[in-house]
Amino acid sequence: MNDALPGPQTLPTPAVSAPAGWPAPATPAGEPDDIREVLVDGGRRRAHMHADLSPLRGRQLNVAAVAGALEAHGVDHFLVRGMDDRTPVIGVNEEDRVAALGALEKLGAAGPCYVSQVLPKPPIVSALRDAADPAAWVDLHRARALKMTWFRIDPTEKLVLGAAYGCEIEFWRPDRKADVLRAPRRNRMMPAVSMAGVPVEVGEHRFTRLAAATKPGPRFRTRPEFDHSLPDDIDFPIDVVYTWVDGADPEWQRRRAEVKGEAFHAEAASESRYINRDELKYSLRSLHLNAPWVRNIYIVTDRQRPAWLDLSAGNIFLVNHEDIFPDRSALPTFNSCAIESQLHNIDGLAEHFLYLNDDMFFGRPLAPQTFFLANGNTKFFLSQNRIPIGPITSLDSPVDAMIKNNRRLIEERFGRTLTQGSQHVPYPLRRSILAEIEREFPAEHARTVRSRFRSATDLTITYSLHHYYSFLTGRALPGHVNYGYVQLAVPDLAARLKRAEARRDWDTFCINDAFSTYAQLQQQMAILEPFLEAYFPVPSPYESAGQR
């Protein structure tokens, strides 16, 4: 099972009962069962529309529909820990096949639904048939596993959840000599379960890594054999930290000009290259859709707040610079390296967290194992760029100069020469290691903290130093993501974004804010905003009602 999962496609659930505490399989109360026809993979499918759709929500709805139908017909069943985080799997005793197929056929007739054979593997893989057609079930009476698929879409019809999230039903063979039920194929845990086992209800995190053990959620009927933690299961909380600034804010520009000793001209400021693209709003949407296991979100800012931001969800917080800088004389600061050096001072921050700029996005559903190991160690993602050997020169970019400062510390401490930076992906960090770096390199760290603007003497800690220091002290390993990088100042920007939206094969991607004229930025906005809205059409809980 891969850590990175293919994303949803772009372009009323059956009214059955579900066990207490499970998500209702029907559309939300008071919302009509809106059926739309959508084009998917060159074919037209009838789909259920949901205003609150997400990959995890779609999975929950499909489990509830199948489990509810089996329960309503008295068919014993249990959830299985399958090989794909998106696809739920339910096990049924082979001796209950006739009753189970009868319940599922009735479920398929209740609304737009599709059925397909999974095992034995059919000649045409994933050939979906209308589950309301009795003929579709004729060939399934000997199938060892089949799948029920509901297509689910958001109101814009841009987010489409299809067969990857369909619920698979396996028929487990009784072995009375061994007193077990044997699985028809491999799963992540057990080849067999006891025939005499008493069903238990366990948390959703036992069956998909998209759900977090540390967050409340539905509970599922399973067998005791599946209620165990595996060596790679992550059960610690993971937070997210953003640093954000509205560079078009005149008050922020005024403060910046005063610190630099420059005159502030309102007219010039209004024509500056700063333009608010609301990347943070779409980055939060990507987080809500594709990393639902995140616990808390902290937005570090200089007394600013996005106009659309709603903090009522209870797990998102604004953090001012004054809250994390013990040395207030270092403020105000306009140096991102200085701000990043203080992130470990955020009150309530988890030991493990992801640090993002607002131009970073989760492109498709990801497991936390993409970024962390279950033993608490972090992963890091090196870029292919190489940093020139030698002292800092006037030819070095600001980032290269700062990495050379990191290099000197690493060479002095570990005798290793770093030559690569990091990819612009969410940075997995540990709070304790950031604090340790501050203690181990006090002079260099303090110099960075007191540098109000980027300087050639700065350290770049979150981008580079944390990862190498963690690796060389045995607390990090190289990782891999399918990473996309979008440079705005290119002539074929529209074509690149269109290709990215169609493929949706990036785990994460970054939209780089390269220098452009004000007129160019306005032109880019006309292309970028529709792309972000199409890629992340579902509002997050962190947007005000008016924005939604």
Side-chain angles (χ1 to χ4, degrees):
M1 182 163 54
N2 295 326
D3 295 338
L5 308 171
Q9 294 173 288
T10 287
L11 298 182
T13 320
V16 298
S17 61
W22 287 27
T27 48
E31 185 178 324
D33 191 17
D34 195 345
I35 306 299
R36 306 280 183 89
E37 193 173 81
V38 295
L39 184 65
V40 183
D41 294 335
R44 305 205 69 84
R45 302 292 186 187
R46 297 178 69 199
H48 302 262
M49 190 192 77
H50 304 273
D52 61 345
L53 190 62
S54 71
L56 185 59
R57 175 66 173 158
R59 188 185 194 281
Q60 292 170 343
L61 288 167
N62 295 339
V63 172
V66 172
L70 295 174
E71 177 114 346
H73 289 76
V75 179
D76 186 36
H77 58 279
F78 52 93
L79 255 74
V80 177
R81 187 162 186 174
M83 303 298 287
D84 192 312
D85 290 310
R86 301 163 301 167
T87 308
V89 180
I90 292 179
V92 174
N93 188 329
E94 171 67 37
E95 293 179 344
D96 294 327
R97 169 186 291 273
V98 173
L101 288 176
L104 295 175
E105 185 172 357
K106 186 173 292 186
L107 173 62
C113 176
Y114 300 86
V115 64
S116 56
Q117 181 171 308
V118 175
L119 197 68
K121 191 174 181 179
I124 302 177
V125 178
S126 299
L128 303 182
R129 301 184 65 179
D130 186 350
D133 180 4
W137 295 88
V138 173
D139 297 331
L140 297 176
H141 281 272
R142 292 190 177 183
R144 286 181 286 159
L146 59 92
K147 176 183 284 189
M148 303 283 288
T149 296
W150 291 266
F151 285 88
R152 302 187 187 278
I153 59 173
D154 79 299
T156 70
E157 301 184 15
K158 296 293 185 181
L159 177 65
V160 182
L161 303 182
Y165 298 85
C167 186
E168 296 183 349
I169 300 91
E170 298 178 336
F171 294 101
W172 288 49
R173 179 175 56 84
D175 182 343
R176 297 197 177 280
K177 184 176 181 180
D179 198 30
V180 297
L181 294 175
R182 297 200 179 276
R185 57 181 177 172
R186 287 184 300 171
N187 57 64
R188 287 207 74 205
M189 293 198 65
M190 296 293 171
V193 298
S194 170
M195 291 184 67
V198 178
V200 296
E201 285 193 358
V202 304
E204 187 175 20
H205 65 281
R206 287 285 189 245
F207 306 100
T208 174
R209 296 178 302 177
L210 296 179
T214 57
K215 298 178 71 172
R219 299 183 66 79
F220 295 88
R221 176 188 177 93
T222 189
R223 292 300 185 91
E225 290 89 342
F226 291 106
D227 189 17
H228 296 278
S229 294
L230 296 180
D232 65 338
D233 285 346
I234 289 177
D235 57 8
F236 49 78
I238 300 171
D239 290 342
V240 159
V241 174
Y242 287 93
T243 50
W244 179 80
V245 62
D246 180 3
D249 176 11
E251 289 305 313
W252 180 84
Q253 293 181 14
R254 188 186 303 278
R255 292 196 297 272
R256 189 173 186 273
E258 289 174 354
V259 173
K260 293 191 74 172
E262 300 174 348
F264 174 77
H265 300 286
E267 182 177 348
S270 68
E271 292 296 321
S272 76
R273 69 179 298 266
Y274 294 110
I275 187 168
N276 185 6
R277 299 188 187 88
D278 280 341
E279 289 107 325
L280 178 61
K281 178 171 71 174
Y282 294 104
S283 183
L284 286 170
R285 287 187 181 187
S286 79
L287 181 67
H288 171 64
L289 284 175
N290 297 322
W293 36 265
V294 165
R295 186 187 66 163
N296 291 332
I297 303 166
Y298 299 90
I299 302 173
V300 178
T301 182
D302 184 13
R303 291 176 284 172
Q304 295 180 313
R305 175 175 178 170
W308 49 264
L309 184 64
D310 184 350
L311 301 177
S312 65
N315 72 327
I316 187 168
F317 308 93
L318 283 177
V319 179
N320 289 317
H321 293 171
E322 293 88 347
D323 300 328
I324 62 174
F325 275 75
D327 182 2
R328 299 291 182 85
S329 66
L331 298 176
T333 185
F334 305 89
N335 180 1
S336 61
C337 293
I339 298 165
E340 292 164 2
S341 75
Q342 302 297 292
L343 297 182
H344 58 287
N345 294 324
I346 296 174
D347 186 32
L349 180 65
E351 162 69 3
H352 300 84
F353 67 97
L354 296 174
Y355 169 57
L356 282 76
N357 301 127
D358 63 358
D359 59 0
M360 295 177 179
F361 305 88
F362 295 86
R364 55 183 176 179
L366 298 176
Q369 285 82 352
T370 305
F371 305 102
F372 298 95
L373 298 174
N375 63 5
N377 290 349
T378 59
K379 296 183 181 181
F380 59 97
F381 311 95
L382 294 178
S383 72
Q384 297 304 307
N385 295 333
R386 296 300 191 268
I387 312 303
I389 296 294
I392 296 173
T393 71
S394 59
L395 299 179
D396 287 322
S397 69
V399 172
D400 284 359
M402 289 184 282
I403 292 179
K404 286 185 175 184
N405 294 330
N406 294 351
R407 173 193 289 165
R408 178 178 59 81
L409 298 183
I410 295 297
E411 285 180 335
E412 291 174 354
R413 180 63 57 90
F414 303 104
R416 301 299 177 96
T417 299
L418 64 89
T419 61
Q420 292 172 265
S422 296
Q423 294 178 337
H424 290 279
V425 304
Y427 305 123
L429 303 173
R430 289 182 64 173
R431 191 178 184 182
S432 62
I433 293 178
L434 292 176
E436 186 176 325
I437 287 172
E438 181 176 12
R439 293 193 304 270
E440 293 296 313
F441 309 106
E444 295 84 357
H445 193 279
R447 187 182 301 120
T448 300
V449 172
R450 298 192 64 79
S451 177
R452 296 184 190 272
F453 299 93
R454 279 196 174 190
S455 166
T457 63
D458 290 343
L459 302 175
T460 175
I461 298 175
T462 59
Y463 176 71
S464 169
L465 184 57
H466 176 283
H467 311 307
Y468 282 103
Y469 182 84
S470 300
F471 174 67
L472 292 169
T473 56
R475 290 172 287 182
L477 287 173
H480 173 76
V481 291
N482 191 19
Y483 158 66
Y485 182 83
V486 179
Q487 173 61 262
L488 290 178
V490 291
D492 60 342
L493 176 62
R496 294 189 185 193
L497 295 181
K498 185 176 182 180
R499 184 166 60 249
E501 181 189 349
R503 292 181 178 177
R504 291 179 174 257
D505 57 355
W506 287 335
D507 298 329
T508 72
F509 62 91
C510 173
I511 297 178
N512 186 259
D513 184 12
F515 179 79
S516 303
T517 66
Y518 187 71
Q520 288 173 328
L521 288 169
Q522 290 180 310
Q523 293 171 357
Q524 293 164 5
M525 272 295 295
I527 301 172
L528 181 60
E529 187 172 14
F531 163 75
L532 291 173
E533 191 66 40
Y535 207 110
F536 307 113
V538 180
S540 76
Y542 314 119
E543 298 173 36
S544 61
Q547 289 288 327
R548 297 176 202 171

